[in-house]
Amino acid sequence: MTTSPATIRRIETFPLEHKLQDGGFGPSKVRVTARTATLVKVTTSDGIIGWGESFGPPRIVAAYLEDLARAVIGQPLELREGTWLNRLSTGYHLTTGGLHVAAISGLDTAMWDAAARTYGVPVSALLGGRVRDEVTAYASTGYYHGKGDSGPLRAYIEEAVEEGFTAAKIKIGSGVSNDVERTGITRDLLGPDGLVMVDYNANATVDTALSSMREIASFNPYWIEEPLPPDEIRGWAMLRATGLPLAAGEALYTRFGFRDYIAEKRIDIVQPNLSVCGGFTEAKVIAQMATAWNLRVAPHVWGTGVLIAATLQLMSTLPTSPFGDRNAYQPLLEYDRGENPFREGVLKEPIVARNGRVRIPTGNGLGVEINEDAVRMWALPTHTLDITSP
């Protein structure tokens, strides 16, 4: 007896936006005034539902999602990699990076979620099987505010320590003296054994990054994230002189964007973001490339609870290779501690870090259930999408 493969019967999108208090917060590069994301809901011909998430300004991403939705509606659910690579190839004028790839990311993740639910398994089973049931989380925190730096930073780190985190990533990149002050405060509050990561968000040139990195080296940063813009090719090699671990990936798209960063070992920690890089389809390839070049993987996370759930499914399958039985470098989950109602509000049961650890959901698909009433309440009505196969 044979059955027809499931097809995509309906695609809905939900652009979300939450205005932040007191003018917002952010990295040294820019003030973030609103938390945004676009959730994607796919319903198959079998009535199975899957969810995904796209990064970027929702009003702009909406147009890309509509274009994608009209191209794949009615098509087999299992056609993912070939579909996306063909679109990137035939649409080469758009390049292999940009918000059109972020749109692909949300739709791709929703398709993987629906496929796994069709088979009655977690997405991790389709990605190769899980090798861990929980991960260590680090508090992604220490944002800049208009009212000052050191005071709010102390409050952020103290709160993270009270919540049980032993690792934290803070924002720097506002000048050498300020970078030293902020990194020193974080090291002091986390203690000598805590993991301190710093994120410049590309707010530097080669010379300013080198000056800053040399001064904060005494605080033993676990990694240095995005000290330079992604297209500063020669600059990344010049930063190797500091001997500090380099991390990047949140601003890179698809396997093609990561290829040279990995092959040329510009970085030590590879950070694909599932809502940016192309969803599970591309993130899996990127992680495999990193393993082949003996690099670590630590996915970037900035979004809703859907993105956290998806990232946990990916992280559960990351191999311990290149390490063996004694491995002090397990993959770390980025756990955003900034104001964001979508982090918990879009899930019926939020994913919570307890004493710096997060359990990986074991249910089918992404392992979580969506609070669709809340999603619809927050959605921007003028930019939602609902397309059904004829």
Side-chain angles (χ1 to χ4, degrees), residues 73-228:
I73 195 75
Q75 299 300 308
L77 180 66
E78 62 192 25
L79 294 181
R80 295 184 290 269
E81 184 172 17
T83 298
W84 308 138
L85 290 180
N86 182 63
R87 285 189 66 84
L88 292 173
S89 178
T90 57
Y92 67 93
H93 292 94
L94 292 174
T95 78
T96 54
L99 292 180
H100 59 292
V101 180
I104 287 175
S105 302
L107 189 50
D108 177 83
T109 299
M111 292 167 69
W112 277 85
D113 185 24
R117 292 178 188 273
T118 298
Y119 292 115
V121 297
V123 168
S124 59
L126 302 186
L127 291 173
R130 63 179 55 193
V131 298
R132 59 184 60 83
D133 296 319
E134 65 176 9
V135 293
T136 297
Y138 66 87
S140 189
T141 185
Y143 301 100
Y144 286 95
H145 289 260
K147 57 187 177 183
D149 294 335
S150 59
L153 175 68
R154 285 185 180 276
Y156 273 124
I157 305 303
E158 288 171 350
E159 180 181 24
V161 171
E162 290 175 1
E163 292 176 347
F165 290 97
T166 59
K169 181 173 75 179
I170 64 166
K171 303 299 185 180
I172 65 171
S174 56
V176 174
S177 60
N178 189 257
D179 293 348
V180 169
E181 178 188 18
R182 293 173 66 81
T183 309
I185 288 171
T186 306
R187 169 55 69 203
D188 180 60
L189 293 175
L190 280 179
D193 297 325
L195 301 184
V196 175
M197 290 81 88
V198 297
D199 187 357
Y200 289 82
N201 287 103
N203 199 39
T205 57
V206 173
D207 61 316
T208 60
L210 282 170
S211 296
S212 175
M213 291 167 64
R214 286 167 177 153
E215 290 297 319
I216 67 171
S218 61
F219 299 115
N220 191 28
Y222 191 68
W223 74 55
I224 306 293
E225 186 167 326
E226 270 202 330
L228 296 174

Side-chain angles (χ1 to χ4, degrees), residues 23-62:
F25 56 84
S28 55
K29 190 84 165 179
V30 64
R31 178 75 61 86
V32 177
T33 59
R35 297 302 294 261
T36 62
T38 301
L39 297 187
V40 181
K41 178 184 178 183
V42 165
T43 305
T44 75
S45 53
D46 297 326
I48 302 296
I49 292 172
W51 288 85
E53 180 173 337
S54 293
F55 171 84
R59 295 169 180 82
I60 300 174
V61 173

Side-chain angles (χ1 to χ4, degrees), residues 272-351:
N273 184 314
L274 278 165
S275 68
V276 174
C277 73
F280 284 118
T281 297
E282 289 300 303
K284 179 65 174 176
V285 175
I286 293 162
Q288 290 171 332
M289 290 166 58
T291 300
W293 267 270
N294 209 39
L295 298 175
R296 288 184 276 159
V297 178
H300 180 269
V301 183
W302 173 267
T304 79
V306 173
L307 179 59
I308 298 174
T311 302
L312 286 170
Q313 290 297 317
L314 174 66
M315 292 184 69
S316 73
T317 69
L318 294 177
T320 57
S321 174
F323 304 104
D325 293 338
R326 293 176 175 83
N327 175 13
Y329 300 97
Q330 294 286 341
L332 300 174
L333 171 70
E334 181 169 17
Y335 197 84
D336 168 40
R337 304 310 296 135
E339 179 188 343
N340 182 9
F342 308 140
R343 182 175 50 244
E344 290 84 19
V346 302
L347 302 181
K348 290 184 177 179
E349 294 186 16
I351 296 170

